[in-house]
Every structure is written in C-alpha cells, then in structure tokens.
Amino acid sequence: EYLTLDYSYSSDHRDSKIYPLAGDYFEGVLSKSGFGIFKDGDISMMEISGSYRKYWDISKRFYFATDWTGKISTSRNQPYFYQRGLGFGRNFVRGYELYVIDGQSYVLSKNTLKYNLVPTKVKEIGFIPSEKFSKLHYALFLNWYVDAGYVDDFKGTEGNNLANKILLGTGLGLDLVTYYDMVFRVDFSVNSQGEFGVFFHVANTL
C-alpha cells in the first residue's frame, strides 16, 4: 500500500496534434510514490520523465523532426511494474518493436527526415450522400529515420540482455495520412543486432 502524487506539465505549439510538420512540443512529469504512511509494503521513490519534440518545415516538401524522451528514477528498490524502460507505447527504438527492455531509467532519441511523396489530395466517394463524409483526404510521406536508445537496469535483471547498452535502429518508412487524422505507417527497419523487420503502425507518429 502506498500513495502516489504526480505533477504534469505540457506545452504544445505544433501545427497538428496527429501528424505535425512544424512547431514543438514539451511534456514533463514529476512523480513521488510512498510517503511513509503505510508501514507494511510502503515504498519510497521518485521519477522524473519528459519528452521534447521539434519539427522543421525545411522546404516545400521536405521536413525534419527530432524527439528526445527520457526517465530518471531515484530508487534502486522498486516494484517490478515501475521498471518500465523501452518498448511501451511510443517509447521504442524503431527496429526493436518486438522487444520490451526493462529498466529504472532510460533515454531515447528518434530522428526522421520526411519527404511529401504525394501532397494532400481529395477523392470524392460517390455513394455517400453526405458532403461532409463523401470526401477522402489523404497524403503520403516517405521517411528516413535514425533512432538511438539506452536503458539503465542497475539490478541486472536476468534475461534483460538489451539493457545497459546503446540500441540503434534505422530504416525507411511510408506514412499514409488520411481523413479524420488517421495515420497508417509501414517501416522497413534494421537494428544494431543486425535484425531486419517490417512493422505496421496505426496513428503512431513521431
């Protein structure tokens, strides 16, 4: 039994929340768990996590984005479910989608160069009577990305072999951005283990 107190802050100046091409975004969370109230099973730990994402409109059809995310934990004696490293949500090195890497702290850098292969187009869907829903908006973006990540596991958990080493991933991706802000993505990746893979994502953007 324990209590947790969180404080979160975010600042969003992107041109789009789903598929941003310009602007920046910052979010940070300070979390304290355990205040000595419960004698049995109480813990004492603090976490600081945050993410900064910056997007540049380089030219008419070229864009660049960088995303830095990290977490620092103060306690070496944590419940297992607090030891979330890489492999959860959007926090993964591309090319390592099939892995969960546990740890108490981590840092992640995701960098993407985008080319607007097919600018936004509108296609009429004749059999839908409503004008609002009869138009399909879509665009295609070709990506080249380079990611790097590091997970600190000071417990040295057995079988957690990708912790405490630099992880790299790179590859080419194709993003289909559609009406209602849906993004369908396919990535052709290779990681620093020499593993090749093809990965599909839905609404999972940089």
Side-chain angles (χ1 to χ4, degrees), residues 18 136-140 175-184:
I18 301 298
L136 176 64
H137 300 250
Y138 66 93
L140 279 175
D175 296 347
L176 172 63
V177 185
T178 67
Y179 195 41
Y180 294 126
D181 293 328
M182 292 294 294
V183 179
F184 299 91

Side-chain angles (χ1 to χ4, degrees), residues 170-200:
T170 186
L172 296 175
L174 186 65
D175 296 347
L176 172 63
V177 185
T178 67
Y179 195 41
Y180 294 126
D181 293 328
M182 292 294 294
V183 179
F184 299 91
R185 179 186 186 110
V186 57
D187 290 337
F188 301 86
S189 304
V190 58
N191 61 30
S192 49
Q193 310 301 116
E195 300 170 333
F196 292 85
V198 180
F199 303 96
F200 296 90

Side-chain angles (χ1 to χ4, degrees), residues 31-109:
S31 177
K32 175 68 171 72
S33 295
F35 293 90
I37 299 175
F38 305 103
K39 293 183 179 180
D40 296 329
D42 201 358
I43 64 176
S44 179
M45 59 173 291
M46 180 178 291
E47 288 185 351
I48 301 174
S49 60
S51 176
Y52 179 72
R53 309 166 203 168
K54 178 67 176 177
Y55 308 87
W56 288 273
D57 183 349
I58 300 175
S59 68
K60 187 176 181 180
R61 302 181 75 169
F62 282 95
Y63 305 88
F64 182 75
T66 186
D67 177 353
W68 287 81
T69 303
K71 182 185 78 170
I72 298 175
S73 299
T74 60
S75 174
R76 290 177 176 264
N77 185 22
Q78 303 176 357
Y80 175 75
F81 55 83
Y82 267 108
Q83 299 176 42
R84 292 170 63 111
L86 297 179
F88 299 90
R90 65 187 307 278
N91 295 331
F92 58 88
V93 175
R94 281 171 285 190
Y96 285 94
E97 282 89 336
L98 301 182
Y99 292 90
V100 168
I101 307 162
D102 294 320
Q104 296 76 37
S105 303
Y106 67 84
V107 63
L108 172 65
S109 175

Side-chain angles (χ1 to χ4, degrees), residues 83 102 104 152-161 163-164:
Q83 299 176 42
D102 294 320
Q104 296 76 37
D152 182 19
D153 177 22
F154 43 62
K155 287 190 172 183
T157 307
E158 184 178 356
N160 194 27
N161 300 324
N164 303 318

Side-chain angles (χ1 to χ4, degrees), residues 127-169:
F127 62 86
I128 299 180
S130 172
E131 182 178 352
K132 181 178 180 180
F133 298 102
S134 63
K135 294 182 179 180
L136 176 64
H137 300 250
Y138 66 93
L140 279 175
F141 289 83
L142 182 65
N143 309 312
W144 173 56
Y145 51 86
V146 177
D147 295 355
Y150 183 89
V151 177
D152 182 19
D153 177 22
F154 43 62
K155 287 190 172 183
T157 307
E158 184 178 356
N160 194 27
N161 300 324
L162 294 179
N164 303 318
K165 62 179 63 175
I166 297 176
L167 307 175
L168 301 173

